[in-house]
Amino acid sequence: MKFRFALGVAVLASLPALPVQADLLGLTFASHISQTDSEPKASSAWQGDMELRLKHFVPLIPNVAIGMNKRKQGDAADGSSYQAELYYNLLDTAGFYIDLGAGYERWDSANSLLSGTDNGKQMYGVGRVAWHFVGTGFGLESDLKLSLVDDDYQANRFRAGVSYELLDLAVSTIDLSAGYLYEDISTRRYSTKNNGAYLGLAVKF
């Protein structure tokens, strides 16, 4: 846990000093849905998320993202969470894209044993990498959410997969993606691990 705390301090301390920033104004809507296997075993159903990311051209000022997740996996970690992030676009050139930032998450459990407790808040680090192969519509993508503090609620997630640019319009592009998801969620009273396939959609303006 000391490592996570140190990593969080390093991320937060570095954000105001990062000189690289996006050179375009852009808006991205991204959504994923997945059906995963849970440990301990539960009645696996589905989970999904939506995110809106705003990228601007002002140096040193971080970009902003907001998002939400919905879990209905049949376990005690079912419920909704809401996120707000500040991030920097470290690289966006030749089809290669890197984001790094930090966020705040608030989780509301649908389970009566966990709801109403104060173990639903966390600070986390976030990283996103995408690589589109020049001259083709195909690419690779990955993202990581890592809890930064040893708190009552901790949620970590890793995704990696392939993407395909379905449409390239005058004002936007539409990408489809598919890949593998892993997550673990823990509170004082419960912990779960999930993994499985996901499908994604991203609309970039």
Side-chain angles (χ1 to χ4, degrees):
M1 296 307 173
K2 291 182 178 179
F3 169 75
R4 288 184 177 176
F5 180 76
L7 179 61
V9 171
V11 169
L12 293 174
S14 65
L15 290 183
L18 289 172
V20 182
Q21 184 55 283
D23 57 358
L24 295 173
L25 185 66
L27 189 66
T28 299
F29 169 79
S31 180
H32 303 83
I33 189 168
S34 60
Q35 182 171 355
T36 62
D37 295 323
S38 300
E39 184 63 43
K41 294 296 183 182
S43 56
S44 179
W46 64 273
Q47 64 187 72
D49 63 79
M50 296 185 298
E51 186 177 44
L52 194 64
R53 299 194 295 268
L54 174 65
K55 182 178 71 173
H56 59 75
F57 59 89
V58 183
L60 300 182
I61 299 178
N63 301 300
V64 178
I66 56 173
M68 69 168 294
N69 294 274
K70 178 70 174 180
R71 300 184 79 262
K72 195 174 181 181
Q73 297 283 17
D75 59 37
D78 280 358
S80 302
S81 65
Y82 307 90
Q83 302 87 32
E85 298 173 5
L86 298 177
Y87 72 95
Y88 281 91
N89 180 210
L90 301 183
L91 187 65
D92 187 359
T93 183
F96 197 63
Y97 186 96
I98 300 177
D99 282 348
L100 179 65
Y104 170 82
E105 180 176 33
R106 173 59 189 258
W107 173 69
D108 294 318
S109 173
N111 186 283
S112 59
L113 294 177
L114 300 181
S115 61
T117 65
D118 62 352
N119 57 352
K121 304 174 184 178
Q122 73 165 353
M123 294 290 295
Y124 62 90
V126 61
R128 287 181 290 267
V129 178
W131 185 14
H132 288 274
F133 303 130
V134 178
T136 75
F138 292 95
L140 303 175
E141 66 174 22
S142 179
D143 67 79
L144 173 68
K145 182 179 79 172
L146 178 66
S147 181
L148 296 177
V149 292
D150 186 5
D151 212 339
D152 289 343
Y153 167 76
Q154 297 179 54
N156 304 299
R157 185 189 66 215
F158 170 75
R159 278 192 298 241
V162 296
S163 63
Y164 178 72
E165 188 178 89
L166 183 64
L167 291 174
D168 186 0
L169 307 175
V171 295
S172 65
T173 61
I174 300 177
D175 291 357
L176 300 178
S177 61
Y180 169 84
L181 173 147
Y182 169 85
E183 72 168 4
D184 60 75
I185 299 174
S186 63
T187 72
R188 287 184 176 180
R189 306 179 188 179
Y190 185 81
S191 64
T192 182
K193 297 180 180 179
N194 307 282
N195 65 88
Y198 74 84
L199 296 174
L201 170 71
V203 183
K204 303 175 184 179
F205 299 95

